[in-house]
Amino acid sequence: MKYELPSLPYSYNALEPYISAQIMEIHHARHHKGYVDGANAALEKLLKAREGAEVDVKAVLKEYSFNLGGHILHTMFWQNMKPNGGGEPGGELLDEINKVFGSFAVFKKLFTQAAVSVEGSGWAMLVYDELRDSLSIIQVEKHNLNVVPGLIPLLVIDVWEHAYYLQYQNQRAKFVDAWWNVVNWSDVEKRFAKAKSQARGLI
Ligand code: MN
């Protein structure tokens, strides 16, 4: 079975004016597709290695981690957004955010700082940490560096330049501010409930 590029759950122009149709199309149809193809190519090499082919294992495993990380994070990123999104979460997720960060405003500020300050290309993420049954914010470089095993991503933002440059040029902070208007909180709430109920026994 191969990795597959999922369709977007909305049209390319659905997130305008916050994210342009041009960015969405290039990001999904070219960048994300590139990661899916890259993950499949790496997987193919790994399967051939099992059949005795000589492969540069170190290089292929790096490709696999980078591209598969990219595929998974982009798929989540699309689902984490929707037209007419934004606002605040509700239910247990809001309760937990208030408990962990003090208020939604503090969470938003810290998440924004994490996103804006990623060095080079990467992501900020709100994650569920089953060891503490709690939430954290982490920063990921590229698609796969600084990842902590077992932390479950709930809300992710892509701050690679390809995610915003055509519309916001070098003003990443403006993109992040605009992005809060398209966050699909019901998707994040569902992910939180699932992570809480299913993630157990990591260590
Ligand atoms: Mn991207």
Side-chain angles (χ1 to χ4, degrees):
M1 199 179 131
K2 288 190 159 196
Y3 301 109
E4 286 176 12
L5 181 69
S7 303
L8 287 190
Y10 36 73
S11 60
Y12 285 132
N13 65 4
L15 303 181
E16 288 188 339
Y18 306 108
I19 306 178
S20 73
Q22 187 189 28
I23 286 178
M24 289 300 292
E25 180 164 6
I26 292 171
H27 201 169
H28 174 256
R30 299 196 209 165
H31 291 280
H32 187 173
K33 183 174 185 301
Y35 304 132
V36 172
D37 292 346
N40 282 325
L43 185 62
E44 189 67 27
K45 288 179 200 163
L46 294 171
L47 295 176
K48 286 200 173 128
R50 291 173 205 172
E51 293 162 1
E54 282 295 323
V55 295
D56 182 343
V57 169
K58 182 180 173 184
V60 175
L61 291 178
K62 260 186 141 166
E63 281 171 36
Y64 189 58
S65 169
F66 173 81
N67 286 290
L68 182 53
H71 170 42
I72 291 168
L73 287 178
H74 283 86
T75 304
M76 288 192 58
F77 184 51
W78 311 134
Q79 295 173 4
N80 276 168
M81 299 189 287
K82 68 171 185 180
N84 305 311
E88 295 188 10
E92 285 185 30
L93 177 60
L94 182 60
D95 292 345
E96 192 65 23
I97 284 174
N98 286 333
K99 197 171 106 190
V100 172
F101 298 99
S103 68
F104 180 76
V106 171
F107 157 72
K108 189 173 172 180
K109 184 178 162 201
L110 294 174
F111 190 94
T112 296
Q113 287 174 344
V116 170
S117 66
V118 171
E119 197 171 274
S121 300
W123 301 72
M125 303 185 192
L126 172 68
V127 299
Y128 175 70
D129 172 2
E130 74 166 85
L131 302 187
R132 297 186 305 113
D133 183 23
S134 189
L135 300 171
S136 294
I137 293 169
I138 65 166
Q139 214 180 44
V140 170
E141 292 182 7
K142 297 188 180 178
H143 299 138
N144 53 337
L145 306 181
N146 298 352
V147 168
V148 181
L151 296 186
I152 301 172
L154 306 174
L155 173 66
V156 303
I157 180 172
D158 186 339
V159 291
W160 283 55
E161 286 186 347
H162 68 223
Y164 60 88
Y165 212 87
L166 286 170
Q167 189 173 2
Y168 295 95
Q169 293 77 47
N170 63 328
Q171 300 174 98
R172 183 191 285 176
K174 279 198 174 172
F175 163 66
V176 175
D177 273 350
W179 171 82
W180 286 109
N181 293 295
V182 293
V183 172
N184 181 353
W185 283 113
S186 62
D187 180 63
V188 186
E189 287 163 22
K190 270 185 234 154
R191 290 177 182 281
F192 177 58
K194 204 167 157 189
K196 261 183 92 76
S197 65
Q198 294 184 353
R200 288 292 182 271
L202 181 64
I203 54 175

